[in-house]
């Protein structure tokens, strides 16, 4: 065989010397907080709340990264502010605290964020790795404290693990269902030089798998007297109007939980207000007669299920199996609540929102159900117009009337923040408070942590600087915020607080009153408090005619970056008609319609 006859090796497999790829670009940092700040900035974080420990290098690191620092005076309130920022903006709220007791103080904020599904990242200092077990100063079991109330609690054990830990935390805090994440950064390598791969700083959240919503279960498509209940899982939905479209398709009454408020247009003709603890008798009667409840993004905690009929199927739609309540009959649908509702609305025949096509039920619904819904709305409107507690003196300010004035004063696309004491429960009752179009609502979770709303309002304002923010709080809750008033003034966080002031803890006083206990054990006979110092603008409402002008002036001052307080002097006898405060007889009497229709 000559050379021309010898088989040739194909070019594709001719061995060649390997040419190494160019090394990925790297980035050097002079210390831990420089790396943390750069990572957060690339994640879109523009504001950080907190109270640092001895390591004040964090201050200059965040300033160099262009991140606004809101340094607070209390770690728990700082977490609440980060939570209010997160709920209002839909982005991650970040909080930085020291180690040991600072983490312990922040745990109450983490608990509220966990049950409220707030995406909060808490970064804390920690004992140096080489000093573990040496009984060092402020050593504490931070992971054990944080783990029960977070999605993940981690500790960086080596400098090389800092960036991977940050990437994991950023992914988990945003993954549905959202919730808080805790990361402890030990002291030992705070000033160590870091070098990381540049492109790893641009971490992005995991891409969700393609979601195909199932067809409506038979219980849904066959219901004749359905109710749609929108929960907090609909907050921040990419495509709004999901609950409304499904209610239209089913011919269903439309209700919300407390945390779901703001996710549904309250002007919708099928909307009947809140379910559960805050449902008034006309709504409870409607629920008694329904044959299906569809819940969208609700955990069905106790305050949401009070009054739901036993034995009626409850079709739950939730993004995670752990979010379902397993106490109710009915199908469990695993998926995004908004996407599922839109898909079911399409399947049942309604057109896209705003498309000009006819909307309405395409399945055989009970012909009188829509009329019932309309009648319930009419009864609620009549009740809201009634004066509350006619047994009180005529010159006594009624909280119900104050809340109605707030409704009139609110512009579209405002932010309303709630507490959950006695007097401020009036603000949960629809249509005493009616949210204008596009209004966002920030409420405590089922934990109803005292002081959450008062602090969260500051974070809400920083998340929505162009929106008027009105916080409706009790005096007990606002007292917890007093330590942070200098923070609000320094940062020019302009918002309006309406303080319903009965001189103490009205809910507890009402419980004592129901047992014929001593008057004013938890509230003062005269609820007037000392005025605030240091630049807080205050208006006192002592008689009904003062309310509208005080609200107008306060909201105008807040628009100029001032902290404005409207203090309403009220009585613990001005209780809201909800279970646990009032008897069934009192609630029915309070909700009696105002004369013939």
């Amino acid at each position: 065989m000559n050379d021309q006859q010898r088989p040739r090796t194909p070019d594709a497999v001719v061995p060649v010397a390997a040419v190494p790829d160019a090394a990925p670009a790297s980035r050097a940092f002079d210390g831990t907080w420089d790396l943390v700040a750069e990572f957060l900035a690339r994640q879109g974080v523009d504001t950080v709340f907190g109270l640092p420990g001895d390591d004040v290098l964090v201050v200059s690191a965040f300033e160099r990264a262009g991140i606004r620092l809101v340094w607070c005076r209390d770690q728990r309130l700082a977490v609440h502010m980060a939570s209010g920022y997160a709920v209002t903006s839909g982005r991650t709220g970040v909080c930085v605290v020291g180690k040991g007791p600072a983490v312990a103080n922040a745990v109450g904020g983490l608990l509220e964020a966990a049950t409220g599904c707030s995406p909060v990242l808490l970064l804390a200092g920690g004992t140096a790795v080489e000093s573990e077990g040496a009984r060092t100063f402020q050593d504490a079991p931070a992971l054990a404290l944080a783990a029960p109330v977070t999605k993940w609690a981690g500790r960086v054990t080596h400098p090389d693990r800092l960036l991977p830990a940050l990437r994991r935390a950023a992914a988990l805090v945003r993954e549905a269902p959202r919730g808080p994440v805790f990361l402890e950064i030990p002291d030992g390598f705070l000033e160590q030089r870091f070098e990381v791969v540049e492109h790893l700083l641009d971490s992005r959240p995991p891409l969700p798998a393609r979601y195909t919503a199932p067809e409506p279960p038979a219980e849904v498509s066959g219901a004749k007297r359905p109710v749609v209940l929108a929960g907090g899982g609909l907050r921040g939905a990419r495509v709004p109007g999901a609950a409304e479209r499904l209610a239209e398709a089913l011919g269903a009454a439309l209700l919300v939980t407390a945390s779901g408020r703001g996710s549904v247009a309250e002007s919708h003709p099928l909307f009947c207000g809140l379910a559960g603890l805050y449902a008034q008798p006309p709504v409870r009667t409607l629920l008694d007669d329904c044959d299906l409840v569809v819940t969208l993004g609700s955990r069905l905690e106790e305050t949401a299920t009070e009054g739901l009929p036993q034995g009626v199927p409850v079709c739950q739609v939730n993004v995670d199996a752990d979010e379902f309540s397993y106490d109710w009959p009915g199908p469990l649908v695993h998926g995004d609540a908004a996407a599922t509702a839109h898909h079911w609305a399409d399947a049942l025949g309604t057109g896209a929102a705003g498309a000009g096509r006819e909307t309405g039920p395409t399945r055989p619904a009970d012909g009188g159900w829509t009329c019932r819904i309309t009648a319930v709305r009419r009864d609620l409107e009549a009740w809201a117009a009634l004066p509350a507690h006619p047994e009180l003196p005529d010159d006594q300010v009624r909280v119900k009337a104050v809340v109605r004035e707030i409704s009139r004063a609110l512009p579209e696309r405002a932010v309303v923040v709630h507490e959950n004491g006695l007097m401020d429960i009036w603000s949960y009752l629809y249509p005493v408070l009616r949210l204008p179009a596009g209004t966002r609502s920030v409420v405590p979770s089922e934990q109803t942590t005292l002081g959450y709303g008062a602090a969260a309002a500051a974070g809400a304002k920083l998340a929505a600087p162009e929106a008027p923010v009105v916080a409706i709080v009790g005096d007990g809750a606002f007292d917890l915020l007093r330590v942070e008033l200098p923070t609000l003034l320094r940062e020019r966080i302009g918002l309006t607080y309406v303080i319903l002031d009965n001189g103490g803890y009205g809910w507890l006083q009402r419980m004592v009153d129901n047992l014929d206990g001593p008057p004013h054990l938890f509230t003062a006979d005269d609820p007037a408090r000392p005025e605030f110092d240091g630049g807080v603008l205050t208006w006192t409402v002592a008689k009904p005619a003062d309310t509208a002008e005080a609200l107008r002036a306060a909201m105008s001052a807040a628009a100029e970056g001032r902290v404005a307080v409207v203090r309403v002097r009220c009585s613990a006898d001005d209780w809201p008609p909800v279970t646990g405060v009032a008897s069934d007889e009192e609630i029915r009497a309070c909700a009696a319609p105002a004369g013939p229709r």
Side-chain angles (χ1 to χ4, degrees), residues 153-435:
R155 171 175 163 87
V156 181
T157 56
H158 188 276
D160 290 347
R161 304 308 306 159
L162 175 58
L163 183 54
L166 288 169
R167 297 183 70 203
R168 182 179 186 186
L172 289 173
V173 77
R174 290 178 295 194
E175 180 188 48
R178 295 181 168 191
V181 167
F182 172 79
L183 184 61
E184 183 183 64
I185 303 175
D187 292 341
F189 46 84
L190 290 177
E191 297 184 54
Q192 180 168 332
R193 184 176 174 81
F194 288 83
E195 188 165 322
V196 300
V197 176
E198 174 85 19
H199 69 80
L200 293 181
L201 290 167
D202 294 316
S203 182
R204 292 291 179 266
L207 294 175
R210 183 178 180 183
Y211 171 70
T212 303
E215 296 305 305
E219 292 90 338
V220 173
S221 56
K224 296 183 181 298
R225 299 181 305 281
V227 170
V228 171
L229 176 58
L234 286 185
R235 286 187 310 207
R238 292 181 180 179
V239 182
E244 294 95 318
R245 290 194 65 221
L246 182 59
E248 291 167 4
L250 293 172
L254 180 56
L255 301 175
V256 294
T257 66
S259 61
R261 202 166 188 189
S263 65
V264 169
E266 300 196 354
S267 60
H268 196 282
L270 296 174
F271 182 69
C272 294
L274 279 74
L277 175 65
Y278 311 109
Q280 293 305 295
V283 175
R284 291 176 181 261
T285 301
L286 193 72
L287 285 168
D288 286 341
D289 293 337
C290 77
D291 63 357
L292 172 76
V293 178
V294 180
T295 68
L296 303 173
S298 173
R299 290 171 170 165
L300 292 182
E301 61 269 21
E302 181 182 6
T303 55
T305 59
E306 187 172 313
L308 284 188
Q310 297 294 321
V312 170
V314 178
C315 175
Q316 302 178 54
V317 184
N318 250 316
V319 76
D320 186 85
D322 192 44
E323 299 294 291
F324 291 121
S325 171
Y326 293 92
D327 295 322
W328 301 89
L332 306 178
V333 179
H334 192 187
D336 178 82
T340 300
H342 280 299
H343 177 74
W344 287 357
D346 290 337
L348 292 165
T350 63
R357 292 168 53 188
E358 293 216 0
T359 61
T362 58
R363 12 156 312 286
D366 183 330
W369 190 240
T370 302
C371 295
R372 287 280 306 278
I373 295 169
T374 301
V376 165
R377 285 175 55 84
R378 192 162 52 232
D379 286 346
L380 289 172
E381 293 286 354
W383 165 71
L386 289 173
H389 295 291
E391 74 279 4
L392 295 177
D394 291 341
D395 60 352
Q396 169 70 52
V397 176
R398 306 301 203 277
V399 177
K400 183 179 185 182
V402 171
V403 172
R404 284 178 63 80
E405 286 292 347
I406 294 173
S407 289
R408 297 184 183 102
L410 285 173
E412 292 188 354
R413 306 195 178 281
V415 180
V416 176
V417 186
H418 303 259
E419 277 284 340
N420 200 273
L422 177 69
M423 297 297 131
D424 40 18
I425 284 181
W426 278 105
S427 70
Y428 288 74
L429 305 183
Y430 172 87
V432 176
L433 180 70
R434 187 197 306 273
L435 298 183

Side-chain angles (χ1 to χ4, degrees), residues 461 465-469 488-496 535 537 539 552-564:
K461 180 60 182 180
E466 303 304 319
V469 175
L488 273 58
L489 293 169
R490 183 191 67 231
E491 299 289 335
R492 291 190 58 81
I493 301 175
L495 69 163
T496 302
L537 301 181
W539 290 261
R552 186 204 62 76
M555 293 177 68
S556 177
E560 298 174 357
R562 307 297 296 273
V563 179

Side-chain angles (χ1 to χ4, degrees), residues 388-389 391-393 396-399 422-423 426 502 506 509-510 513 519-520 523 570-576 581 586:
H389 295 291
E391 74 279 4
L392 295 177
Q396 169 70 52
V397 176
R398 306 301 203 277
V399 177
L422 177 69
M423 297 297 131
W426 278 105
N502 56 27
Q509 185 62 54
R510 178 66 177 168
D513 292 345
H520 311 302
T523 60
C570 53
S571 165
D573 294 333
D574 191 6
W575 42 262
V581 173
E586 287 174 319

Side-chain angles (χ1 to χ4, degrees), residues 127-136 139 155:
T127 300
V129 174
E130 63 271 18
S131 299
E132 288 183 359
R135 297 184 178 179
T136 57
D139 188 17
R155 171 175 163 87

Side-chain angles (χ1 to χ4, degrees), residues 514-536:
N514 289 341
L515 297 173
D516 296 322
H520 311 302
L521 180 62
F522 292 101
T523 60
D525 186 16
D526 182 355
R529 300 290 185 88
E531 295 300 327
F532 306 107
D533 297 325
V536 176

